[in-house]
Amino acid sequence: MPARGVRVLVPFGPRRVIGLVTGIATALPETMKDVVEVLDEVPLAPPPLLDLATWISEHYLAPPGECHRLVLPPAGVRASRAVVRLSGGEMSPSDDDPVLAALRAGPLPLSTLAKRMGRDPTARIARLRREGRVEVDQDLARPGFRQLRIAVLTPTAADLRPRGRAQAEVLGRLTAAGGRAPVPHVLRDRPSLRGALDRLVEQGAITIEEERAVRTPEMLEGPVKLRPEPTGDQASVLQPILAALGAGFAPFLLHGVTGSGKTEVYFRAIERTLEQGRSALLLVPEIALTPLLVRAAVGRLGAVVSVLHSELSVGERHDQWWRLREGEARVAIGARSAVFAPLTDVGLVIVDEEHEAAYKQDESPRYHGRDVAVMRARLEGAVVLLGSATPSLESNHNALAGKYRRLVLPRRIGSQGMARVDVVDRRQALKAGADPILTPPLRDALAERLARKEQSLLLLNRRGYATSLLCRECGMQAMCPNCSVALTLHKGGRVALCHYCAFETSAPRACGSCKGEYLRLTGYGTEKVLEAVRAALPTARVERLDRDLAVRRGAVAHVLASFEAGETDILVGTQMIAKGHDFPRVTLVGVVDADVGLGLPDFRAAERTFQLLTQVAGRSGRADLAGEVILQSHRPDHYALQLACAQDYDAFFEREMEFRRTMAYPPAATLVNLVLRARDSTEGAEAADAVAARLRGLAGGNFRVLGPAFAPLARLRQEHRFQILLKGRRKAMRDAVREALVERYGRVRWPGVAVDVDPVTIM
Ligand code: ADP
Ligand code: ZN
């Protein structure tokens, strides 16, 4: 009987497909076919992860297959590489290659095969040629950040009598390998030997050495910070966390102002978890933006860390997955999808910057990494720690309702308090004829930093050169041909780009509507800010950081590193510069236009703005230099701005909750957002009307149905989009949506329909 989590080959019509055993049924209908082959010796995913996948499928109304793929090895289920099988009979029967012999008995996962070949499964990809030879493809050999744990027999082993077969097996394997072998090699095919190995290590018969097998990528090198003594504040939040470790599920919200030392709290909690023999997960919004955190973690925790970086090659990803699965790595650090790291015995799950929208996946399955993290901790019986300087309204609401225990770090580390914040009213500045990008106070403050050899950050949360191209004669705007969106101008105004579908064209010279030739650029983005700063301060070394740059591999790391090294004076950028960086020489943060996010038609507009401004303000004056923040705004009285200036989270929370309650938005209500797409607008509108009508029929007082309406982006990638918003009880909404969509589209696929349960945005 195959176990849960094992892959099987099953007949499916005329084909055979790979399936995953998600449960064992006791009574089966007659028509059920037999499994052709069981493909794995041990379950690929540990049981809590299988439960997690099932939960995601139910909670987010996503197909079970898609959800289970999340917890399997990368490219696991479908990719032919994952399983190697003999295909033809063309091989000579006398061939006594052990790998071929193994394959003759049935297909094997690549990792198992590679291990039998005594090779590193990631550095090389094995392929079976038709004539029956195993080929190793060297092209895919790339250095990873692998530190091997090597088991070494020590002299005491000679006079030690192994207790039990497992210990004898471990000693036997190690002796056969010449007394020294990587731990995964000793445990190969039998992860259950780990206990015996650990006991032999305790008894001193075996020692474990660490060896760096392959070159470490640059981002992980660098000076290792010492382990500081916790401050009084840190000690008092650590106390309940450490006490909870090992004692079952316990959720915490850690509200620590920027620079209050949350990272050290994370590290101490991870260290304790490792001491208890359990494993830990650390989620960050985006790995590329947190090189310092990653480096510090690797420096502190060493070889047990696996960093799931988005720039890993397929082979490296595969390698890290198996390191975690086999217990060689016991701490996983990564973005959203690292919540599925195949660790066993998880004792601690940390979500840093838990308020970040990046935790929400914007394609199916539309899960929220933070909420999945809490669920995983529940299934594992672990502690979960949500950290932020600006907690999401949801998490703070949960904490106040007693669902999470709330911990506070109210002060910055060191002698400097929070930075001083000044607001420049741009309406007055513009009336006085000031430069719209750099008003005199901001320009003077930048010049002052330059003279003092200190650094500045300049935020504008809008990339590009100009936000639109207008015809002066007829007033038309250059629009994307595929989307209902104005084109943004890039590269000094020479290129017009759609930020939604990536449509790109050279900037038109004449109006598409009246053929008028007087076109005007309006609005501005980071590119224009860079130009303005260079014009105003010609001696300053200025760089830009935004998504346009991020498409070049390694470019983000390079810009951050040169800013950190002091080779750049002013860094201009979008919200990418506002994230958790810790640059000690930054004493000025300027926000060119603090109102950018406020006008968006989204219920989170104020929350996002408050978070962004508070976070970016937190980048100023972090070490022993005092910090200053200058916000330029047209709406200096808006509460999101006012309270961000005052750094008053609690007041913002109260004010914003009032709005959410009045309008029945989360966390005061639950939302399910449906977007229906269609090439033909009439067809789309009809489908949306029919689905909405059916949902109203099913609502029964449990939820409200708003719409259908044109989605805020009414046309995207040549498709028309209609939106239906449900507010009310989650379970009733989910059941109704499932029923309405199954009735209309059938059980398997709902083409053109995106279901978003707990959306972070309804734009
Ligand atoms: P946060 O993540 O809360 O914004 P960090 O964890 O980046 O804050 O810490 C801010 C700074 O304080 C860092 O430079 C860090 O090295 C330093 N720091 C943290 N804890 C201590 C401590 N106990 N003693 C001395 N310095 C500390
Ligand atoms: Zn477009």
Side-chain angles (χ1 to χ4, degrees), residues 121-272:
T122 60
R124 299 119 191 249
I125 298 291
R127 291 226 181 91
L128 202 58
R129 284 282 214 74
R130 295 216 28 227
E131 60 276 18
R133 281 253 142 253
V134 174
E135 279 257 309
V136 173
D137 187 346
Q138 293 286 359
D139 293 350
L140 291 165
R142 283 195 49 225
F145 20 85
R146 223 173 133 73
Q147 264 180 328
L148 277 185
R149 281 157 45 91
I150 309 278
V152 185
L153 272 187
T154 60
T156 60
D159 43 59
L160 177 114
R161 292 171 149 258
R163 258 184 278 152
R165 301 228 322 248
Q167 292 195 6
E169 174 74 21
V170 169
L171 289 174
R173 285 179 171 207
L174 203 45
T175 315
R180 261 177 80 86
V183 168
H185 183 76
V186 177
L187 303 179
R188 68 191 180 276
D189 305 330
R190 279 191 65 187
S192 59
L193 289 177
R194 172 166 293 279
L197 175 67
D198 288 348
R199 272 185 299 281
L200 288 165
V201 171
E202 276 164 28
Q203 292 161 19
I206 293 177
T207 49
I208 303 278
E209 288 174 9
E210 298 193 342
E211 188 172 275
R212 181 166 292 183
V214 192
R215 194 183 67 90
T216 308
E218 275 165 49
M219 93 178 268
L220 299 182
E221 281 168 3
V224 175
K225 278 197 186 167
L226 294 175
R227 192 163 171 273
E229 267 312 299
T231 61
D233 286 341
Q234 284 170 331
S236 64
V237 301
L238 269 166
Q239 197 268 331
I241 297 171
L242 299 183
L245 285 170
F249 174 61
F252 292 92
L253 173 64
L254 174 60
H255 179 189
V257 301
T258 51
S260 59
K262 293 185 286 296
T263 316
E264 184 59 28
V265 173
Y266 300 159
F267 287 173
R268 297 252 165 183
I270 294 174
E271 283 169 349
R272 176 66 61 87

Side-chain angles (χ1 to χ4, degrees), residues 480-483 485 498 500-503 716-717:
C480 173
N482 306 319
C483 310
V485 170
C498 171
Y500 289 88
C501 73
F503 170 84
L716 200 60
R717 296 180 196 94

Side-chain angles (χ1 to χ4, degrees), residues 589-600:
V589 167
V591 180
V592 175
D593 180 354
D595 317 329
V596 169
L598 281 180
L600 297 177

Side-chain angles (χ1 to χ4, degrees), residues 29-30 66 74 91 101-102 105 108 199 249 267 293 401 430 464 504 536 545 569-570 579 594 601 634 731:
E30 288 281 311
E66 258 174 29
M91 150 191 98
L108 287 174
R199 272 185 299 281
F249 174 61
F267 287 173
L293 175 73
L430 291 183
E504 190 180 325
L545 183 64
D569 302 309
I570 302 173
K579 305 299 160 76
H634 279 105
K731 177 154 186 338

Side-chain angles (χ1 to χ4, degrees), residues 469-479 511-514 519:
L469 192 63
L470 280 179
C471 172
R472 285 183 202 238
E473 312 218 342
C474 74
M476 281 294 290
Q477 209 177 10
M479 300 291 288
C511 172
S513 171
C514 75
L519 301 181

Side-chain angles (χ1 to χ4, degrees), residues 495-546:
V495 173
L497 196 70
C498 171
H499 282 185
Y500 289 88
C501 73
F503 170 84
E504 190 180 325
T505 178
S506 56
R509 297 187 174 266
C511 172
S513 171
C514 75
K515 310 288 173 229
E517 288 180 13
Y518 297 97
L519 301 181
R520 188 164 66 102
L521 293 174
T522 61
Y524 53 88
T526 43
E527 259 189 55
K528 189 74 171 272
V529 174
L530 187 80
E531 200 179 270
V533 175
R534 284 192 172 142
L537 304 164
T539 58
R541 296 165 299 173
V542 196
E543 292 264 19
R544 199 186 88 218
L545 183 64
D546 57 29

